[in-house]
Amino acid sequence: MESVRVRFAPSPTGMFHVGSARTALFNWLYARHTGGTFVLRVEDTDAARNKTEYVDVILRGLQWLGMNWDEGPQIGGGVKGDRGPYFQSQRGEIYRRAVDKLLGEGKAYESDGAIRFRTPKTPAVVHDLICGDITFDRTNEPDLVIQRKDGSPVFHLVNVVDDLEMGITHVIRGEDHLSNTQKHLALIEALGGQPPHYAHIPLILNPNGSKMSKRDAGASIEDYIDQGYLPAAVRNYLCLLGWSPKDNRELITIEEVIAKFDLPQVNRANARFDADKLFWINGEYFRALDIDALEPLAVSILQKRGILPDKFDHAYFRAALAIVKEKVKVGRELPDWMSYFFDEDFKFDEAAVKKVFTPEGLTNVARLRERLALIDSRNFKADALEAEFKTLAAATGQKTGALVHPARLAVSGRPVGPSLYHLLEVLGQRRVLSRFERVEKQFGAPVA
Ligand code: GLU
């Protein structure tokens, strides 16, 4: 059997879109599934629309998602293994040769300075691994421009020439290219090449059924990086946009997808983008991360936001992370859940203050401060603290909640958070007592 060679061929004309990332992923998965080769080819011949910053964004996105490419010209002084993608802008000679060949054989001609390909007018059939056989009527197809007046080659030509040059066996790309494929087949035949197999993957739609565009919320991979999503979770979600393991599972390891992924099983129907599902999947991955894996991500997010100083107490940080981890679904929520661990001047939620810091609430803060001051600091542990709260509640004829809510608000400024007793343990006795004291000062000590 021929060895599989696939390519991802982005045009760097905008941000790295979810749809492009999914196309890259399906190519990468197919290469990994078959033990084939994944080629990255930047289609940057349209000088007016390309920007190098978009190339950077695409490369960063691919690397973030763990989709490494297998070959390319050597870059950066030829460090071993450091291979860049192919850039079409550097392959002009190859395209010129192809145009000359077509001209020489009378299969193309000059017209007003541009070069046109004599497009056949007979019907064309595309055999597609996903869409099946599709027939195109070409009676009215105009002769395709393959080289512009300024001498630059057109997308259809460079795309086809490179697929032949690079020995691509399977072209896996978005369904929006299906109608181009009949043009490409004609060019391939004229160039005397062997056509690759085609697999056009379904479009991605917004929840309302419209085609997802670059401007839609959630469309940019860069946004997911910025928001502290986990690359494995985003990749897991992208796998499900047009493919599934067929047993309703949504959490699936990349190893398993690689083992199962095949082209005939890609859905024919359009996929629907579901930001809530992606968010949920990310939360599941987040929960499953151990602290060692989570720590660098959390540190970078919190330092970027100025919440965590350059030097900090690592044991304290890890303990805090361990108790908020269950609550957080995506990295961007970390600042909100963690800022008060590192800030003695945190703001109080106003609505919660009105509700919780009533005269009784403040009396309970004062009572707690007195009692918790008596605990030996080595015993300032969740279990012991819980017992203290229960004893004090019983002694004062109150429900434990009457103590828990003021205590939580006093030490964190907010009405919700991780388990209170664990929170107190992590903050430690000194911080807890000084925060109680701050509340008594700031909101007025009650008359005992
Ligand atoms: N540069 C084209 C695009 O980004 C590539 C299409 C293809 O994969 O053949 O849409």
Side-chain angles (χ1 to χ4, degrees), residues 234-256:
V234 175
R235 195 174 55 189
N236 183 148
Y237 180 67
L238 293 176
C239 288
L240 304 177
L241 285 174
W243 179 87
S244 79
K246 300 274 181 277
D247 54 7
N248 280 327
R249 257 175 327 139
E250 302 190 306
L251 298 174
I252 180 163
T253 65
I254 198 69
E255 290 77 17
E256 195 184 340

PDB file of all heavy atoms in Angstrom, residues 234-256:
ATOM      1  N   VAL A 234      -9.221  21.435  23.921  1.00  0.00           N
ATOM      2  CA  VAL A 234      -9.661  22.049  22.660  1.00  0.00           C
ATOM      3  C   VAL A 234      -9.505  21.027  21.528  1.00  0.00           C
ATOM      4  O   VAL A 234     -10.393  20.870  20.692  1.00  0.00           O
ATOM      5  CB  VAL A 234      -8.851  23.336  22.362  1.00  0.00           C
ATOM      6  CG1 VAL A 234      -9.211  23.903  20.998  1.00  0.00           C
ATOM      7  CG2 VAL A 234      -9.106  24.379  23.457  1.00  0.00           C
ATOM      8  N   ARG A 235      -8.410  20.311  21.552  1.00  0.00           N
ATOM      9  CA  ARG A 235      -8.181  19.300  20.510  1.00  0.00           C
ATOM     10  C   ARG A 235      -9.232  18.200  20.595  1.00  0.00           C
ATOM     11  O   ARG A 235      -9.780  17.756  19.586  1.00  0.00           O
ATOM     12  CB  ARG A 235      -6.779  18.721  20.691  1.00  0.00           C
ATOM     13  CG  ARG A 235      -6.269  17.956  19.513  1.00  0.00           C
ATOM     14  CD  ARG A 235      -4.835  17.566  19.725  1.00  0.00           C
ATOM     15  NE  ARG A 235      -4.681  16.835  20.980  1.00  0.00           N
ATOM     16  CZ  ARG A 235      -3.504  16.518  21.520  1.00  0.00           C
ATOM     17  NH1 ARG A 235      -2.385  16.879  20.928  1.00  0.00           N
ATOM     18  NH2 ARG A 235      -3.442  15.856  22.653  1.00  0.00           N
ATOM     19  N   ASN A 236      -9.542  17.779  21.811  1.00  0.00           N
ATOM     20  CA  ASN A 236     -10.592  16.778  22.006  1.00  0.00           C
ATOM     21  C   ASN A 236     -11.898  17.281  21.381  1.00  0.00           C
ATOM     22  O   ASN A 236     -12.571  16.563  20.628  1.00  0.00           O
ATOM     23  CB  ASN A 236     -10.769  16.526  23.510  1.00  0.00           C
ATOM     24  CG  ASN A 236     -11.789  15.439  23.863  1.00  0.00           C
ATOM     25  OD1 ASN A 236     -11.647  14.745  24.861  1.00  0.00           O
ATOM     26  ND2 ASN A 236     -12.841  15.289  23.062  1.00  0.00           N
ATOM     27  N   TYR A 237     -12.239  18.540  21.651  1.00  0.00           N
ATOM     28  CA  TYR A 237     -13.481  19.077  21.114  1.00  0.00           C
ATOM     29  C   TYR A 237     -13.442  19.138  19.583  1.00  0.00           C
ATOM     30  O   TYR A 237     -14.416  18.765  18.914  1.00  0.00           O
ATOM     31  CB  TYR A 237     -13.795  20.461  21.694  1.00  0.00           C
ATOM     32  CG  TYR A 237     -15.070  20.994  21.115  1.00  0.00           C
ATOM     33  CD1 TYR A 237     -16.277  20.361  21.421  1.00  0.00           C
ATOM     34  CD2 TYR A 237     -15.079  22.026  20.194  1.00  0.00           C
ATOM     35  CE1 TYR A 237     -17.458  20.773  20.836  1.00  0.00           C
ATOM     36  CE2 TYR A 237     -16.255  22.446  19.598  1.00  0.00           C
ATOM     37  CZ  TYR A 237     -17.441  21.821  19.922  1.00  0.00           C
ATOM     38  OH  TYR A 237     -18.606  22.211  19.331  1.00  0.00           O
ATOM     39  N   LEU A 238     -12.328  19.576  19.034  1.00  0.00           N
ATOM     40  CA  LEU A 238     -12.222  19.677  17.569  1.00  0.00           C
ATOM     41  C   LEU A 238     -12.388  18.309  16.901  1.00  0.00           C
ATOM     42  O   LEU A 238     -12.951  18.208  15.809  1.00  0.00           O
ATOM     43  CB  LEU A 238     -10.871  20.288  17.164  1.00  0.00           C
ATOM     44  CG  LEU A 238     -10.630  21.765  17.527  1.00  0.00           C
ATOM     45  CD1 LEU A 238      -9.221  22.190  17.137  1.00  0.00           C
ATOM     46  CD2 LEU A 238     -11.652  22.681  16.855  1.00  0.00           C
ATOM     47  N   CYS A 239     -11.915  17.265  17.564  1.00  0.00           N
ATOM     48  CA  CYS A 239     -12.075  15.904  17.014  1.00  0.00           C
ATOM     49  C   CYS A 239     -13.557  15.579  16.791  1.00  0.00           C
ATOM     50  O   CYS A 239     -13.911  14.836  15.877  1.00  0.00           O
ATOM     51  CB  CYS A 239     -11.520  14.849  17.979  1.00  0.00           C
ATOM     52  SG  CYS A 239      -9.732  14.821  18.085  1.00  0.00           S
ATOM     53  N   LEU A 240     -14.407  16.140  17.651  1.00  0.00           N
ATOM     54  CA  LEU A 240     -15.833  15.795  17.596  1.00  0.00           C
ATOM     55  C   LEU A 240     -16.608  16.620  16.571  1.00  0.00           C
ATOM     56  O   LEU A 240     -17.800  16.430  16.387  1.00  0.00           O
ATOM     57  CB  LEU A 240     -16.472  15.992  18.974  1.00  0.00           C
ATOM     58  CG  LEU A 240     -15.810  15.217  20.132  1.00  0.00           C
ATOM     59  CD1 LEU A 240     -16.491  15.566  21.443  1.00  0.00           C
ATOM     60  CD2 LEU A 240     -15.875  13.715  19.880  1.00  0.00           C
ATOM     61  N   LEU A 241     -15.939  17.573  15.926  1.00  0.00           N
ATOM     62  CA  LEU A 241     -16.618  18.392  14.919  1.00  0.00           C
ATOM     63  C   LEU A 241     -16.596  17.656  13.580  1.00  0.00           C
ATOM     64  O   LEU A 241     -15.817  17.957  12.689  1.00  0.00           O
ATOM     65  CB  LEU A 241     -15.933  19.749  14.779  1.00  0.00           C
ATOM     66  CG  LEU A 241     -16.191  20.757  15.904  1.00  0.00           C
ATOM     67  CD1 LEU A 241     -15.343  21.999  15.725  1.00  0.00           C
ATOM     68  CD2 LEU A 241     -17.668  21.134  15.970  1.00  0.00           C
ATOM     69  N   GLY A 242     -17.454  16.671  13.469  1.00  0.00           N
ATOM     70  CA  GLY A 242     -17.516  15.925  12.213  1.00  0.00           C
ATOM     71  C   GLY A 242     -17.038  14.492  12.345  1.00  0.00           C
ATOM     72  O   GLY A 242     -17.064  13.729  11.390  1.00  0.00           O
ATOM     73  N   TRP A 243     -16.616  14.111  13.525  1.00  0.00           N
ATOM     74  CA  TRP A 243     -16.193  12.728  13.749  1.00  0.00           C
ATOM     75  C   TRP A 243     -16.622  12.352  15.161  1.00  0.00           C
ATOM     76  O   TRP A 243     -16.786  13.228  16.019  1.00  0.00           O
ATOM     77  CB  TRP A 243     -14.663  12.615  13.624  1.00  0.00           C
ATOM     78  CG  TRP A 243     -14.137  11.229  13.853  1.00  0.00           C
ATOM     79  CD1 TRP A 243     -14.016  10.239  12.915  1.00  0.00           C
ATOM     80  CD2 TRP A 243     -13.699  10.670  15.094  1.00  0.00           C
ATOM     81  NE1 TRP A 243     -13.523   9.102  13.508  1.00  0.00           N
ATOM     82  CE2 TRP A 243     -13.321   9.338  14.839  1.00  0.00           C
ATOM     83  CE3 TRP A 243     -13.592  11.151  16.409  1.00  0.00           C
ATOM     84  CZ2 TRP A 243     -12.846   8.484  15.840  1.00  0.00           C
ATOM     85  CZ3 TRP A 243     -13.120  10.320  17.411  1.00  0.00           C
ATOM     86  CH2 TRP A 243     -12.755   8.995  17.121  1.00  0.00           C
ATOM     87  N   SER A 244     -16.841  11.072  15.400  1.00  0.00           N
ATOM     88  CA  SER A 244     -17.123  10.661  16.772  1.00  0.00           C
ATOM     89  C   SER A 244     -16.719   9.212  16.942  1.00  0.00           C
ATOM     90  O   SER A 244     -16.659   8.455  15.967  1.00  0.00           O
ATOM     91  CB  SER A 244     -18.604  10.835  17.102  1.00  0.00           C
ATOM     92  OG  SER A 244     -19.320   9.754  16.552  1.00  0.00           O
ATOM     93  N   PRO A 245     -16.463   8.799  18.186  1.00  0.00           N
ATOM     94  CA  PRO A 245     -16.101   7.394  18.402  1.00  0.00           C
ATOM     95  C   PRO A 245     -17.318   6.477  18.321  1.00  0.00           C
ATOM     96  O   PRO A 245     -17.197   5.281  18.560  1.00  0.00           O
ATOM     97  CB  PRO A 245     -15.471   7.405  19.800  1.00  0.00           C
ATOM     98  CG  PRO A 245     -16.034   8.603  20.479  1.00  0.00           C
ATOM     99  CD  PRO A 245     -16.343   9.604  19.408  1.00  0.00           C
ATOM    100  N   LYS A 246     -18.491   7.045  17.996  1.00  0.00           N
ATOM    101  CA  LYS A 246     -19.718   6.267  17.769  1.00  0.00           C
ATOM    102  C   LYS A 246     -20.319   5.643  19.017  1.00  0.00           C
ATOM    103  O   LYS A 246     -21.091   4.711  18.930  1.00  0.00           O
ATOM    104  CB  LYS A 246     -19.479   5.121  16.748  1.00  0.00           C
ATOM    105  CG  LYS A 246     -19.027   5.588  15.384  1.00  0.00           C
ATOM    106  CD  LYS A 246     -20.204   5.957  14.483  1.00  0.00           C
ATOM    107  CE  LYS A 246     -19.772   6.404  13.106  1.00  0.00           C
ATOM    108  NZ  LYS A 246     -19.385   7.817  13.034  1.00  0.00           N
ATOM    109  N   ASP A 247     -19.932   6.076  20.176  1.00  0.00           N
ATOM    110  CA  ASP A 247     -20.566   5.517  21.374  1.00  0.00           C
ATOM    111  C   ASP A 247     -20.964   6.638  22.333  1.00  0.00           C
ATOM    112  O   ASP A 247     -21.018   6.449  23.534  1.00  0.00           O
ATOM    113  CB  ASP A 247     -19.637   4.501  22.064  1.00  0.00           C
ATOM    114  CG  ASP A 247     -18.275   5.117  22.356  1.00  0.00           C
ATOM    115  OD1 ASP A 247     -18.119   6.342  22.147  1.00  0.00           O
ATOM    116  OD2 ASP A 247     -17.378   4.379  22.784  1.00  0.00           O
ATOM    117  N   ASN A 248     -21.210   7.818  21.762  1.00  0.00           N
ATOM    118  CA  ASN A 248     -21.681   8.960  22.545  1.00  0.00           C
ATOM    119  C   ASN A 248     -20.685   9.505  23.540  1.00  0.00           C
ATOM    120  O   ASN A 248     -21.039  10.353  24.344  1.00  0.00           O
ATOM    121  CB  ASN A 248     -22.970   8.622  23.306  1.00  0.00           C
ATOM    122  CG  ASN A 248     -24.156   8.728  22.380  1.00  0.00           C
ATOM    123  OD1 ASN A 248     -24.146   9.552  21.481  1.00  0.00           O
ATOM    124  ND2 ASN A 248     -25.146   7.879  22.595  1.00  0.00           N
ATOM    125  N   ARG A 249     -19.467   9.003  23.527  1.00  0.00           N
ATOM    126  CA  ARG A 249     -18.490   9.559  24.450  1.00  0.00           C
ATOM    127  C   ARG A 249     -17.991  10.885  23.926  1.00  0.00           C
ATOM    128  O   ARG A 249     -17.809  11.051  22.727  1.00  0.00           O
ATOM    129  CB  ARG A 249     -17.306   8.609  24.600  1.00  0.00           C
ATOM    130  CG  ARG A 249     -17.365   7.845  25.900  1.00  0.00           C
ATOM    131  CD  ARG A 249     -16.264   6.848  25.974  1.00  0.00           C
ATOM    132  NE  ARG A 249     -15.929   6.312  24.667  1.00  0.00           N
ATOM    133  CZ  ARG A 249     -14.690   6.090  24.269  1.00  0.00           C
ATOM    134  NH1 ARG A 249     -13.681   6.385  25.067  1.00  0.00           N
ATOM    135  NH2 ARG A 249     -14.453   5.567  23.082  1.00  0.00           N
ATOM    136  N   GLU A 250     -17.755  11.811  24.826  1.00  0.00           N
ATOM    137  CA  GLU A 250     -17.226  13.105  24.390  1.00  0.00           C
ATOM    138  C   GLU A 250     -15.825  13.338  24.898  1.00  0.00           C
ATOM    139  O   GLU A 250     -15.123  14.186  24.386  1.00  0.00           O
ATOM    140  CB  GLU A 250     -18.181  14.194  24.858  1.00  0.00           C
ATOM    141  CG  GLU A 250     -19.548  13.899  24.278  1.00  0.00           C
ATOM    142  CD  GLU A 250     -20.534  14.980  24.438  1.00  0.00           C
ATOM    143  OE1 GLU A 250     -20.729  15.421  25.574  1.00  0.00           O
ATOM    144  OE2 GLU A 250     -21.122  15.379  23.423  1.00  0.00           O
ATOM    145  N   LEU A 251     -15.455  12.576  25.929  1.00  0.00           N
ATOM    146  CA  LEU A 251     -14.087  12.702  26.436  1.00  0.00           C
ATOM    147  C   LEU A 251     -13.309  11.522  25.882  1.00  0.00           C
ATOM    148  O   LEU A 251     -13.654  10.366  26.130  1.00  0.00           O
ATOM    149  CB  LEU A 251     -14.081  12.668  27.963  1.00  0.00           C
ATOM    150  CG  LEU A 251     -14.859  13.808  28.608  1.00  0.00           C
ATOM    151  CD1 LEU A 251     -14.940  13.620  30.118  1.00  0.00           C
ATOM    152  CD2 LEU A 251     -14.240  15.160  28.279  1.00  0.00           C
ATOM    153  N   ILE A 252     -12.290  11.819  25.118  1.00  0.00           N
ATOM    154  CA  ILE A 252     -11.560  10.739  24.468  1.00  0.00           C
ATOM    155  C   ILE A 252     -10.101  11.154  24.322  1.00  0.00           C
ATOM    156  O   ILE A 252      -9.811  12.301  23.982  1.00  0.00           O
ATOM    157  CB  ILE A 252     -12.231  10.388  23.107  1.00  0.00           C
ATOM    158  CG1 ILE A 252     -11.494   9.262  22.399  1.00  0.00           C
ATOM    159  CG2 ILE A 252     -12.385  11.588  22.203  1.00  0.00           C
ATOM    160  CD1 ILE A 252     -12.319   8.601  21.301  1.00  0.00           C
ATOM    161  N   THR A 253      -9.218  10.252  24.623  1.00  0.00           N
ATOM    162  CA  THR A 253      -7.798  10.620  24.558  1.00  0.00           C
ATOM    163  C   THR A 253      -7.360  10.678  23.097  1.00  0.00           C
ATOM    164  O   THR A 253      -7.937  10.014  22.229  1.00  0.00           O
ATOM    165  CB  THR A 253      -6.898   9.582  25.262  1.00  0.00           C
ATOM    166  OG1 THR A 253      -6.993   8.350  24.542  1.00  0.00           O
ATOM    167  CG2 THR A 253      -7.303   9.385  26.714  1.00  0.00           C
ATOM    168  N   ILE A 254      -6.323  11.444  22.857  1.00  0.00           N
ATOM    169  CA  ILE A 254      -5.856  11.603  21.484  1.00  0.00           C
ATOM    170  C   ILE A 254      -5.307  10.274  20.959  1.00  0.00           C
ATOM    171  O   ILE A 254      -5.442   9.965  19.777  1.00  0.00           O
ATOM    172  CB  ILE A 254      -4.844  12.769  21.371  1.00  0.00           C
ATOM    173  CG1 ILE A 254      -4.693  13.210  19.922  1.00  0.00           C
ATOM    174  CG2 ILE A 254      -3.493  12.420  21.964  1.00  0.00           C
ATOM    175  CD1 ILE A 254      -5.897  13.881  19.336  1.00  0.00           C
ATOM    176  N   GLU A 255      -4.752   9.467  21.841  1.00  0.00           N
ATOM    177  CA  GLU A 255      -4.243   8.155  21.407  1.00  0.00           C
ATOM    178  C   GLU A 255      -5.380   7.307  20.857  1.00  0.00           C
ATOM    179  O   GLU A 255      -5.243   6.623  19.850  1.00  0.00           O
ATOM    180  CB  GLU A 255      -3.577   7.411  22.577  1.00  0.00           C
ATOM    181  CG  GLU A 255      -2.263   8.012  23.050  1.00  0.00           C
ATOM    182  CD  GLU A 255      -2.443   9.272  23.900  1.00  0.00           C
ATOM    183  OE1 GLU A 255      -3.561   9.514  24.405  1.00  0.00           O
ATOM    184  OE2 GLU A 255      -1.459  10.029  24.040  1.00  0.00           O
ATOM    185  N   GLU A 256      -6.515   7.370  21.550  1.00  0.00           N
ATOM    186  CA  GLU A 256      -7.648   6.570  21.089  1.00  0.00           C
ATOM    187  C   GLU A 256      -8.203   7.114  19.773  1.00  0.00           C
ATOM    188  O   GLU A 256      -8.585   6.345  18.880  1.00  0.00           O
ATOM    189  CB  GLU A 256      -8.733   6.525  22.174  1.00  0.00           C
ATOM    190  CG  GLU A 256      -9.733   5.422  21.895  1.00  0.00           C
ATOM    191  CD  GLU A 256     -10.893   5.382  22.885  1.00  0.00           C
ATOM    192  OE1 GLU A 256     -10.784   5.929  23.995  1.00  0.00           O
ATOM    193  OE2 GLU A 256     -11.927   4.790  22.503  1.00  0.00           O
TER     194      GLU A 256
END
